[in-house]
Amino acid sequence: ALANCEALTEVVFEEGMTAIPDNIMRNESYTSHVKKVELPETVEEIGDNAFKGNGELETDRVPSKTEMIGGNAFDGCASIESMEFPETIKEIGNSAFANCTSLQTVTMTDNAEEGYEAKIGNLVFSGCTSLASVHLSENVVSLGARFIENTAVNSITIPKNVRESGMLANGVSPSLKYNGALANCEALTEVVFEEGMTVIPDNIMRSESYISYVSRVIIPSSVLSIGENAFIGCDNMTIYGYTNSY
């Protein structure tokens, strides 16, 4: 709807809106000059591709009631420097913030409600080349495949409640190669599994198509089992475990 509007620099979504429509500001064939977008606190959902390709858009947060951010919602928003997610987040879709090349820090806020869960899709921060810090909330239970690939993140803590890793295949059958949440992260050298985790998820660091540069993996004493293919292809790592941790 708002593509190819060269004079447009500000967009205000009216108070009371609960869902930002899919593709509303999608801009792939034209240059967008929108710098400011006002989202009301009533927003609970941001649609697929809603702000894709808005390279000059500057924002550092989503509304406090946001539960779902759609696939590719902010893909290519190259002027975003930081992003803070509220405690209400339940799902961040595939490639939602991919190619946000100025993004440096990501922070998710914990939700104290018992049983509250959040899921992060595949490739969510792929290509965010300036991203150096990612703080995941205690509510995260699922991490998508290669969700921080091609970033500057060198250390990450995996929350204790994560129980599932996404997986993407590369190649052509029958020679398919599979890669998990922490694959294709050239800057990543340290992975810390949070104290309290009991099971290292299947495929979490599986890296068959890429070289893994992770050299230090810390497994807490609470871990009772390690999932299938959890560390396959991680040829450079040393595990720092504790008694009864595996």
Side-chain angles (χ1 to χ4, degrees), residues 13-132:
F13 291 90
E14 187 179 29
E15 187 68 35
M17 178 176 279
T18 58
I20 304 299
D22 295 350
N23 305 301
I24 184 71
M25 289 179 59
R26 186 173 186 170
N27 235 312
E28 294 189 75
S29 302
Y30 310 97
T31 300
S32 169
H33 298 288
V34 174
K35 294 181 181 294
K36 183 178 180 180
V37 170
E38 290 189 14
L39 301 176
E41 291 303 312
T42 50
V43 167
E44 298 176 358
E45 179 178 334
I46 297 174
D48 294 346
N49 304 298
F51 301 104
K52 185 175 183 178
N54 284 262
E56 297 182 20
L57 178 63
E58 299 173 356
T59 186
D60 62 358
R61 56 182 293 276
V62 294
S64 61
K65 295 181 180 179
T66 304
E67 296 183 357
M68 198 278 285
I69 299 174
N72 300 96
F74 292 89
D75 186 352
C77 293
S79 295
I80 296 176
E81 296 184 355
S82 65
M83 182 55 60
E84 182 175 345
F85 298 102
E87 62 176 15
T88 51
I89 282 289
K90 292 182 177 178
E91 181 180 351
I92 303 175
N94 296 339
S95 303
F97 291 86
N99 306 304
C100 292
T101 52
S102 295
L103 184 63
Q104 299 173 39
T105 61
V106 168
T107 304
M108 296 182 70
T109 305
D110 293 340
N111 189 314
E113 181 182 334
E114 186 175 353
Y116 202 91
E117 296 183 350
K119 297 182 178 181
I120 296 176
N122 299 329
L123 307 169
V124 165
F125 301 110
S126 174
C128 297
T129 52
S130 299
L131 182 60

Side-chain angles (χ1 to χ4, degrees), residues 182-215:
L182 300 178
N184 200 22
C185 302
E186 292 190 6
L188 188 66
T189 59
E190 180 182 65
V191 177
V192 179
F193 292 96
E194 187 183 32
E195 182 66 44
M197 178 176 278
T198 58
V199 179
I200 304 296
D202 296 350
N203 305 302
I204 185 75
M205 290 178 60
R206 186 172 185 169
S207 190
E208 294 190 60
S209 303
Y210 310 97
I211 295 173
S212 172
Y213 295 93
V214 175
S215 59

Side-chain angles (χ1 to χ4, degrees), residues 116-180:
Y116 202 91
E117 296 183 350
K119 297 182 178 181
I120 296 176
N122 299 329
L123 307 169
V124 165
F125 301 110
S126 174
C128 297
T129 52
S130 299
L131 182 60
S133 175
V134 174
H135 174 77
L136 302 172
S137 77
E138 292 291 319
N139 310 101
V140 174
V141 296
S142 177
L143 294 174
R146 293 161 40 200
F147 84 104
I148 54 168
E149 73 170 1
N150 296 321
T151 67
V153 175
N154 59 28
S155 178
I156 191 167
T157 297
I158 306 301
K160 62 186 177 183
N161 294 313
V162 173
R163 58 176 182 261
E164 181 179 84
S165 167
M167 189 168 59
L168 290 176
N170 287 352
V172 179
S173 181
S175 300
L176 289 175
K177 297 183 177 180
Y178 296 91
N179 303 279

